[in-house]
């Protein structure tokens, strides 16, 4: 098939459960403030919600779940909140890895981990190592992650590894060096908390994802809210630059081939 220079080539499949769901878990602070609680109470509850959403993804046979836990820009928050988030990340890793493993889930953490303290980095490495062989769901946590950082670090790796092709790199050359090289591109992107922006999440990878925004705050998100997002996804027509008629012709062709093969 001609690629026309774009690395996003998948033939759209309508009416399926998305294979890869990426979520910006936003609204923890507002959830807490509404209840006259400190912002960090929202983050704490956010971890419980993530545990349930992971389970819901397993039940729905979603293969990849990627969540934005801490952005490159979140260091700008008050130091108390940043250190609470780091401690929460550590305790969540300590408590959840065994459960993830029992459930056949593999854990990956992507982002610039060099800025984290050694103890946190060790926990991340141990969690990734323990769960590496699991196949049921890949849970990727983006921590100290930024989409621009990701593109740049991939370019820097390419420049180091393949300097002879400098000036001739193609889109497909970059993909293996992105922090998310272990993932297909997200099919469905969800942002909770009402903001309609990407906030430097996977800006390269989201090029052709279906975007879904909900006002519901992350601590109030649940399996039903996930189902609403999936229902919206199923109503979309993913055209990847083609026309509706082309998609219909390709669906008819697939149906005919399947019927004649049967
Ligand atoms: C998202 O919730 C969690 C992180 C960014 C770590 P927020 O903390 O951004 O909550 P709001 O947006 O202020 O309500
Ligand atoms: C995005 O949320 C990052 C995470 C959820 C981890 P923010 O709350 O930091 O995004 P902005 O500042 O509203 O764009
Ligand atoms: Mg926010």
């Amino acid at each position: 098939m001609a690629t026309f220079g774009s690395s996003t080539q998948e033939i759209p499949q309508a009416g399926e459960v998305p294979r890869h769901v990426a979520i910006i878990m936003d609204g923890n602070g507002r959830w807490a403030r509404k209840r006259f609680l400190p912002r960090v109470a929202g983050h704490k509850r956010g971890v419980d919600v993530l545990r349930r959403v992971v389970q819901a993804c397993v039940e729905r046979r979603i293969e990849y779940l990627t969540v934005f836990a801490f952005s490159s820009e979140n260091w700008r928050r008050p130091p108390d909140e940043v250190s609470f988030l780091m401690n929460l990340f550590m305790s969540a890793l300590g408590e959840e890895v065994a459960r993830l493993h029992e459930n056949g889930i593999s854990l990956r953490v992507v982002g610039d981990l060099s800025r984290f303290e050694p103890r946190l980095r060790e926990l991340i490495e141990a969690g990734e190592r323990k769960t590496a062989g699991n196949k049921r769901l890949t849970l990727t946590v983006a921590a100290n992650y930024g989409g621009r950082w990701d593109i740049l670090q991939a370019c820097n790796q390419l420049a180091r590894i393949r300097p002879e092709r400098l000036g001739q790199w193609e889109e497909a050359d970059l993909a293996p060096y992105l922090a998310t090289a272990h993932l297909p591109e997200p099919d469905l992107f969800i942002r909770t908390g009402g903001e309609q922006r990407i906030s430097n999440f996977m800006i390269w990878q989201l090029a052709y994802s279906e975007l879904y925004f909900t006002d519901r705050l992350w601590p109030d998100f649940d399996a039903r809210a996930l189902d609403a997002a999936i229902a919206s996804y199923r109503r979309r027509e993913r055209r990847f630059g083609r026309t509706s008629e082309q998609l219909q012709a390709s669906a008819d062709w697939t149906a005919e081939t399947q019927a004649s093969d049967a």
Side-chain angles (χ1 to χ4, degrees):
M1 189 209 308
T3 63
F4 305 106
S6 171
S7 48
T8 301
Q9 297 167 36
E10 290 121 284
I11 293 279
Q13 301 276 325
E16 290 179 342
V17 169
R19 193 171 170 223
H20 180 184
V21 176
I23 307 183
I24 296 187
M25 310 181 289
D26 195 22
N28 294 350
R30 278 163 285 163
W31 180 90
R33 283 287 177 230
K34 269 182 21 190
R35 287 161 181 77
F36 305 102
L37 296 167
R39 291 178 51 84
V40 295
H43 298 319
K44 204 156 171 288
R45 183 169 159 121
V47 175
D48 301 330
V49 169
L50 178 57
R51 188 185 307 114
R52 288 197 286 268
V53 169
V54 167
Q55 189 55 37
C57 286
V58 168
E59 286 161 9
R60 283 153 188 76
R61 297 181 189 282
I62 289 164
E63 292 173 60
Y64 303 94
L65 172 66
T66 303
V67 295
F68 206 4
F70 191 86
S71 75
S72 330
E73 291 72 26
N74 286 146
W75 296 104
R76 297 172 185 160
R77 294 198 175 191
D80 282 359
E81 183 170 342
V82 171
S83 79
F84 182 92
L85 284 166
M86 293 301 142
N87 286 328
L88 186 65
F89 195 16
M90 279 203 270
S91 66
L93 279 167
E95 286 163 23
E96 304 295 333
V97 166
R99 194 197 318 261
L100 293 174
H101 190 51
E102 278 164 26
N103 285 290
I105 298 163
S106 79
L107 173 72
R108 296 289 295 267
V109 179
V110 294
D112 180 4
L113 305 187
S114 67
R115 206 165 155 190
F116 291 148
E117 57 177 86
R119 176 83 192 111
L120 179 51
R121 291 212 302 266
E122 281 162 23
L123 280 169
I124 291 170
E125 270 167 40
E128 288 186 330
R129 214 176 316 117
K130 187 179 171 81
T131 61
N134 296 335
K135 295 276 178 283
R136 200 187 265 171
L137 172 79
T138 300
L139 169 64
T140 303
V141 177
N144 195 21
Y145 177 90
R148 290 178 182 172
W149 164 84
D150 196 4
I151 294 170
L152 212 56
Q153 66 79 26
C155 291
N156 284 331
Q157 284 195 66
L158 256 184
R160 230 177 9 252
I161 296 163
R162 301 179 62 186
E164 74 288 353
R165 298 241 305 136
L166 192 71
Q168 293 166 302
W169 295 330
E170 293 174 4
E171 290 179 14
D173 293 325
L174 199 71
Y177 300 99
L178 291 167
T180 56
H182 61 293
L183 300 170
E185 290 174 21
D187 300 296
L188 171 62
F189 160 93
I190 300 172
R191 181 173 186 146
T192 64
E195 312 297 350
Q196 304 201 353
R197 54 178 173 251
I198 306 288
S199 297
N200 198 16
F201 196 26
M202 303 193 278
I203 49 181
W204 175 282
Q205 298 87 335
L206 290 169
Y208 263 108
S209 308
E210 296 299 325
L211 307 182
Y212 179 86
F213 299 94
T214 168
D215 288 337
R216 192 180 280 247
L217 305 172
W218 177 251
D220 288 328
F221 198 79
D222 57 14
R224 276 186 63 191
L226 177 68
D227 284 337
I230 295 172
S232 167
Y233 170 82
R234 289 169 67 113
R235 289 193 295 271
R236 314 276 176 98
E237 183 181 62
R238 307 188 72 188
R239 291 193 284 274
F240 296 94
R242 298 175 183 82
T243 67
S244 229
E245 290 73 19
Q246 285 176 298
L247 297 183
Q248 195 47 53
S250 138
D252 291 347
W253 183 83
T254 311
E256 274 168 33
T257 334
Q258 276 167 357
S260 64
D261 285 351

